[in-house]
């Protein structure tokens, strides 16, 4: 059954799904949309809620990154079978998204002076608040959200990488348990080779291409 993931040619909500698909050795069409070509109104109006990522299988379309991540991870060790552990992962992932909701308005801010101020606040308040808690959560649970690697840690990595791309830093470095997890996922079979083949994302280049439109 042909599988197709459509997302921007950048890190963000779609990248953890790419990582999971590669780690679980699933063949899929990696359909990448250049941010510089967005909004592609013809594509946008066909999307269930006008946004990416979307996943297609057998002519059926699924949107919402978390639903897609869980769907593609089904039947693997990445979904905890114990209900409490399952809920622990979900709980951590919702907190990761709460963090991300603080970052997106900063990325989208058009006024450069205001954006600089917001970036400062992100570093001093938001990142420290959330990352110290993510770090503790991982430390208390054997390095993962629920005792072993799950789809949830892939989501954390995708969000960290997307933030790093915009901030031009590696925010995880100050947090040993997060840093170790990031390194572990990037070294997983399938993920490691994918990252090498993909190459690094370059936010400045992406911005330059977007501004040309
Ligand atoms: N809750 C959705 C959010 C999707 C979302 O925000 N997608 C962004 C990219 S990360 C998007 O498509 N932006 C373009 C637009 O809204 O036109 C999910 O998790 O999939």
């Amino acid at each position: 059954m042909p599988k197709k993931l459509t997302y921007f040619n950048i890190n963000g909500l779609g990248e953890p799904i790419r990582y999971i698909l590669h780690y679980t050795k699933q063949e899929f069409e990696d359909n990448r949309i250049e941010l510089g070509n967005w909004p592609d109104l013809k594509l946008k109006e066909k999307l269930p809620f006008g946004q990416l990522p979307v996943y297609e299988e057998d002519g059926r379309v699924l949107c919402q990154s978390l639903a897609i991540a869980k769907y593609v991870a089904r039947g693997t060790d990445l979904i905890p079978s114990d209900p409490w552990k399952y809920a622990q992962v979900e709980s951590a992932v919702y907190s990761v998204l709460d963090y991300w909701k603080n970052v997106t308005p900063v990325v989208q801010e058009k006024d450069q002076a205001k954006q600089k101020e917001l970036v400062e606040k992100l570093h001093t308040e938001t990142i420290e608040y959330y990352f110290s808690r993510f770090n503790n959560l991982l430390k208390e649970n054997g390095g993962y959200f629920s005792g072993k690697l799950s789809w949830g840690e892939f989501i954390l990595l995708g969000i960290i990488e997307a933030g790093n791309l915009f901030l031009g830093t590696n925010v995880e470095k100050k947090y040993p348990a997060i840093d170790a997890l990031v390194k572990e996922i990037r070294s997983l079979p399938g993920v490691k080779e994918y990252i090498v083949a993909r190459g690094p994302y370059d936010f400045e280049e992406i911005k330059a291409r977007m501004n040309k439109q």
Side-chain angles (χ1 to χ4, degrees), residues 7-8 12-14 38-39 44 50-53 63-66 97 100:
Y7 189 62
F8 297 109
L13 297 175
W38 194 260
K44 195 171 166 67
Q51 291 193 310
L52 298 173
C63 68
Q64 290 296 342
S65 56
L66 302 189
L97 288 200
W100 189 237

